[in-house]
Amino acid sequence: MGLTVFAVVLVTFGLTKVAYQNPGRMLAPENASEETVDAITRSLHLDEPWYIQLWHYVVSGPAIKGTPTGLLNWPPSLGYSYREQRPVTGLILEKLPATVSLAVGALVAWILLSVLFGVYAARKPGGWFDTVTSGISYLFLSIPTFVTGVILLFVLYYQLSLAGVKFFPSGGYVALTESPTEWARHLLLPWLTLVIAQVGLFQRVVRASVLEVAGKDYIRTARAKGVGPNGVYFDHALSAALNPILTLGAIEFATILGGAIITEQIFGLDGVGRLAVSAANNGDAPVVIGCTLLGAVIFVVATSVVDIITYARSGK
């Protein structure tokens, strides 16, 4: 895990060096003199070799902070924003609640719907319910997220507002601590956008996983003992088919926590994804690296936890 995260830092740092050839000029005022640009470049160690710049970032950034006790500091530093003149950690922590709210709510909704639809489709493969849900799954998988978000905004916000129904907001984020009702209302359309994007894939995975174990001996034994269809499929078959569902769920959840860039942009959610896009456009390399590092850590931790759970469930 540590090697993976370090590799992400190294690659991202290298890409920022390629993308931003003269960060000093990008950060200087529009009519700044060459002396001003050179002074900014020197103050940020941007005139030194890349490996020296990387050392300065690591020493003052992800963990060490230049002191032996830096590893004990929490939250760890992720460098200093060029544009905002603030620690990157503080910027990310400000944006994280919106992204976490978006990811957790969408994950719960699409997992519940996927399990329900997938199990019922597996009970009668080839039946009308299986056929309908399969068609809907393929349709949802074929529609890009940005198209879904725009359509939802047009229909459920714009058209309903013209008709006098102003329930769905156009965008923005309200903190859960400020108003739970407004928090949920502002996230309904973003949640629905992500659910539509993910439920088709997860429904197919659940269906395939349940069908794979439906013919096993213990399933036939459960039926012979008089266990009803719901008990057979939801208690026995689904439990045995959880491993691929958990693995895929962890990957998708970690990806969204790293920043649901398109969804956040469409609905004006001031989250980590929007912060990363803004930093990339402004040449704020420490923020870009910090957001990427956050996504990498979440991804590595989530997949590792699922690996541990899957190993424990195997009984080895």
Side-chain angles (χ1 to χ4, degrees):
M1 291 168 63
L3 289 175
T4 301
V5 172
F6 179 75
V8 169
V9 173
L10 188 62
V11 171
T12 309
F13 185 86
L15 290 176
T16 60
K17 296 296 106 182
V18 175
Y20 310 125
Q21 295 293 331
N22 191 358
R25 171 58 65 185
M26 295 177 64
L27 300 173
E30 186 175 350
N31 298 320
S33 64
E34 287 300 322
E35 290 78 9
T36 302
V37 174
D38 291 341
I40 293 174
T41 301
R42 287 193 300 272
S43 67
L44 297 175
H45 306 286
L46 299 175
D47 59 334
E48 299 178 357
W50 69 269
Y51 48 88
I52 301 296
Q53 295 182 44
L54 178 62
W55 169 252
H56 281 296
Y57 176 77
V58 172
V59 167
S60 64
I64 302 177
K65 290 188 177 180
T67 65
T69 60
L71 290 172
L72 303 178
N73 291 313
W74 185 261
S77 172
L78 294 174
Y80 211 74
S81 169
Y82 294 160
R83 292 284 182 179
E84 299 292 332
Q85 292 298 297
R86 294 174 53 196
V88 175
T89 303
L91 289 172
I92 291 177
L93 289 178
E94 286 181 3
K95 313 297 183 183
L96 199 57
T99 300
V100 171
S101 299
L102 175 64
V104 172
L107 176 73
V108 171
W110 87 56
I111 288 293
L112 290 177
L113 291 175
S114 299
V115 168
L116 185 64
F117 293 160
V119 171
Y120 274 103
R123 289 178 61 175
K124 294 183 179 180
W128 71 269
F129 186 83
D130 185 25
T131 303
V132 171
T133 53
S134 295
I136 294 175
S137 297
Y138 293 134
L139 176 63
F140 286 171
L141 287 170
S142 303
I143 303 177
T145 305
F146 67 89
V147 174
T148 304
V150 171
I151 291 175
L152 290 176
L153 268 179
F154 178 75
V155 175
L156 297 180
Y157 166 69
Y158 180 71
Q159 293 292 340
L160 287 182
S161 296
L162 290 179
V165 180
K166 297 183 179 180
F167 176 76
F168 294 100
S170 60
Y173 174 75
V174 176
L176 177 63
T177 54
E178 182 178 336
S179 173
T181 303
E182 289 299 307
W183 170 80
R185 194 169 73 90
H186 280 74
L187 286 170
L188 279 177
L189 291 182
W191 282 339
L192 185 56
T193 300
L194 291 180
V195 167
I196 290 175
Q198 300 293 341
V199 72
L201 173 62
F202 275 79
Q203 188 267 342
R204 301 305 295 170
V205 171
V206 172
R207 176 186 178 278
S209 300
V210 172
L211 282 177
E212 184 177 353
V213 300
K216 300 292 185 180
D217 291 340
Y218 65 90
I219 298 295
R220 289 194 292 268
T221 301
R223 287 197 183 100
K225 289 181 177 180
V227 178
N230 288 338
V232 168
Y233 283 95
F234 283 99
D235 293 340
H236 294 77
L238 181 61
S239 176
L242 275 181
N243 287 350
I245 301 170
L246 289 173
T247 302
L248 183 59
I251 292 174
E252 294 298 330
F253 180 66
T255 302
I256 295 175
L257 272 181
I261 295 174
I262 296 176
T263 306
E264 290 181 5
Q265 290 284 81
I266 291 174
F267 295 100
L269 296 176
D270 200 13
V272 176
R274 204 175 186 190
L275 174 66
V277 171
S278 175
N281 290 333
N282 293 327
D284 202 343
V287 179
V288 173
I289 298 172
C291 291
T292 307
L293 181 59
L294 171 69
V297 169
I298 292 173
F299 188 90
V300 169
V301 170
T303 52
S304 298
V305 169
V306 169
D307 285 343
I308 294 171
I309 294 174
T310 302
Y311 183 80
R313 283 172 49 84
S314 69
K316 295 180 180 180

